[in-house]
Amino acid sequence: MSDQIHEKGLRICHLYPEVLNLYGDRGNIICLKKRLEWRHIPCSVTEVKIGDKTDLTQFDLFFIGGGQDFEQEVLLADLSAGRGADILSAVRDGAVFLCICGGYQMMGTEYETKDGVKCEFLGAADFRTKGGDVRMIGNYAFRCTEESGGSTVVGFENHSGRTFLGDGVSPLGTVLKGYGNNGEDQTEGVRFENVFGSYSHGPILPKNPAFADFLLQTALNRRFGIAVLEALDDSAENAAHDTVLERVLQGSTSRD
Amino acid sequence: MKKHSVITTFLSVAACRITRCMLRILHRGGTTLPGRAAMVFDKSILEVVSRDMEVIVVTGTNGKTTTCSMLRTALESADIPVLSNISGANLLTGITAEFTANASLLGKAKKHYAIIESDEAALKKVVPYIHPKVIVVTNLFRDQLDRYGEVMHTLEEIRTGIRLSPESRLCLNADDSLVASLASETKNPVIWYGISVPAENPPAEMISDAKYCIRCGTEYQYHFHTYAHLGGFFCPKCGYSRPDPQIEVKAIDEITAGGSVVDLNYPSGPGRFTTKKIRIALPALYNIYNAIAAVAAFQAAGYNKKYIFRALSTVHSSFGRMENFHYNGQELQMILVKNPAGCNQALSYLRNMPEDFAAVFCLNDKTADGHDISWIWDADFESVVTSPRCRKLYAAGTRAEDMCLRLKYAGADASQIRICHREEELLKAVGECGLPVFILPNYTAMLSLRGLLSAATGKKEFWKEQ
């Protein structure tokens, strides 16, 4: 397999790590790196921060995490200063994006605070988020749609924003237990182009190895034409996945 | 003050005492139930039973319990009886229980001095009743996010608490830009404390909880770092910067497993400062911060500092914080870890061990721990897991599988990590491992492991130590 791969391997971009890094988001990067390393596929991770002028067209896979409201304000200025357009063209170009919480909301058209203040976001797809009073918190589970691999994902959600997908926009999956996008329509996350948005931090990838591999495979296939990944020993991953899934489906989010 | 009748006070104190007594007969160190019982009869009983007392309150993410323990040791060494929530039950109910159980049936406080640790969000509920003379804020890091949301939210909770207590003197960590911002909108007098030298090991890729200026949003710059986001911060745009501390570490002479020696500069009279070598009997950098927070509290309260200096050189670890056990002929040290900043400090302590050791990571996700365990991915387990000195790894707790997975991605061979679901099984395994053992549990895991270890080693439960 490795002769198919350019020496630089898969190029991962961690966007705004200094601002969007709540809730163990770093675990997703650790997971991607390790799962490539175990398959002897080289990779590089480049952090692109506010104000950096790094060329985004070189990257295969982008990760955008969640952040605190206070810090997201700092970020909006950078987006409107040109970064937003770069991100949109990478999306159209088919690069893989994993966007969590704040990073997910940012891909939508707007965020409306509970006081009615509207904030314009990137608008990569037609979905919007409204701030609410109720925080949707807890372990939860959803099943990805077939186009996103069809695996079951467990994670932890913690958001007061409620996201509603526009007509014709596909969710990432269907909620099995928990709130998902808005606590109403059983949808979770978004999927368009090769963008995967979700409220699942926790972080999402380590204990959902099938989903992690689906992202890697999508990115590797686009860059190097690798359609099948070598299997790994995922017993530790699956043990963590199954333990949480079992508890979530039983309806107990904690063991007090 | 609201009116309280003698009858409700009597019933309230009696209910609290009876509940506490019952729990102890059942061999349980109940900490909040007696408070709830007291509040059935008088919701604000705390105001009655703390009347005329002199109270120091300690809040902040890390270091509350240890700072309180230092303060308590100092006052007790001067033969002053101190009331304290020694168990770490630091919500309104736990604090109410502590004060109420120590009052007469007429609600009169039996002790005059109190050292109280308060949860950050509980501060605003507690201070209107106890009117603290001094409020100490240790630091602010991301912690138990599913309870409080975000660091900024926690900061606002503390700010509200301080606003409700305009008479209190504040002791604030000058090196923490979040904590330092608490002084900006209040008229409370402030004693600043801080460490004015860079720490030995600069943080590698620690995620900062305070990257941008809280006033204008510009990225902070630093003259020096101590750990995490603490250090000599300043904003190049608006000028917000680290205040000059009155209680100031000028040099760190030594940090070992046995403790630290620092040069401390402090006010020794009106307009006069003295520098003195201070020995702190607890290891690690964060205990230097706890020590100077305690010195600042003594300064603010107007107590004789010779007692706190002496206490710092003798203080024992408290309740799962670097606490030692001799078990089955082996040395066990328990280090409570609840969040990435505290955990990284503990891991850095392990990494510098000169001998082989076994490491046990216990992760629970009960309400008191926070249901969200994502923070383990922000802590730097890599450095310990890949250390040649770390010979054995154990994962335990209600989220043992997640812990095991974290260790795997930190570089451990997953097949070599032993998962122990039952605590008895864990203790048996580590008791036979033939190495010094470091146990890093989070809160509820610490409580139950400590209980088991105490029973097995003849140590007393916390509620028997008074």
Side-chain angles (χ1 to χ4, degrees), chain A residues 18 21-24 26-27 34-35 68 70 137 201-203 206-207 233 237 243-244 247 254-256, chain B residues 142 145-146 152 205 207 212-213 365-367 371-372 374 377-379 398-399 401-402 405 408-409:
Chain A
E18 83 281 31
N21 61 21
L22 266 186
Y23 310 122
R26 183 171 90 119
K34 283 286 175 188
R35 297 187 74 79
Q68 301 200 30
F70 164 75
I137 302 181
H201 64 261
K207 49 173 184 281
D233 174 6
E237 286 81 350
T243 311
V244 177
R247 272 169 60 178
S254 73
R255 278 186 197 166
D256 274 346
Chain B
R142 59 179 72 186
L145 287 142
D146 58 329
M152 295 303 284
E205 50 172 311
I207 288 163
Y212 296 95
C213 179
D365 66 348
K366 299 182 182 183
T367 302
H371 300 152
D372 183 3
S374 328
W377 293 88
D378 286 336
T398 56
R399 297 298 288 265
E401 288 82 3
D402 279 273
L405 192 59
K408 176 180 178 181
Y409 280 85

Side-chain angles (χ1 to χ4, degrees), chain A residues 17-19 21-28 30-32 34-35 38 47 49-50 67-71 74 135 137-139 156 158 201-203 205-207 209 233-241 243-244 247 253-256, chain B residues 142 145-147 149-153 205 207-217 219 344 365-368 371-382 397-399 401-402 404-406 408-412 414 419 421:
Chain A
E18 83 281 31
V19 192
N21 61 21
L22 266 186
Y23 310 122
D25 280 337
R26 183 171 90 119
N28 291 322
I30 296 173
C31 179
L32 291 170
K34 283 286 175 188
R35 297 187 74 79
W38 290 329
E47 296 196 334
K49 300 179 183 175
I50 289 175
Q68 301 200 30
D69 295 342
F70 164 75
E71 290 174 329
V74 185
R135 267 199 107 74
I137 302 181
N139 292 309
F156 194 92
N158 181 355
H201 64 261
L205 296 183
K207 49 173 184 281
D233 174 6
D234 282 333
S235 41
E237 286 81 350
N238 291 331
H241 175 276
T243 311
V244 177
R247 272 169 60 178
T253 52
S254 73
R255 278 186 197 166
D256 274 346
Chain B
R142 59 179 72 186
L145 287 142
D146 58 329
R147 268 207 302 168
E150 298 164 341
V151 181
M152 295 303 284
H153 179 64
E205 50 172 311
I207 288 163
S208 175
D209 292 325
K211 187 100 181 165
Y212 296 95
C213 179
I214 190 163
R215 292 190 187 165
C216 75
E219 188 170 353
N344 277 344
D365 66 348
K366 299 182 182 183
T367 302
H371 300 152
D372 183 3
I373 51 105
S374 328
W375 65 268
I376 61 173
W377 293 88
D378 286 336
D380 189 20
F381 290 95
E382 282 77 358
T398 56
R399 297 298 288 265
E401 288 82 3
D402 279 273
C404 176
L405 192 59
R406 176 68 189 99
K408 176 180 178 181
Y409 280 85
I419 293 186
H421 283 113

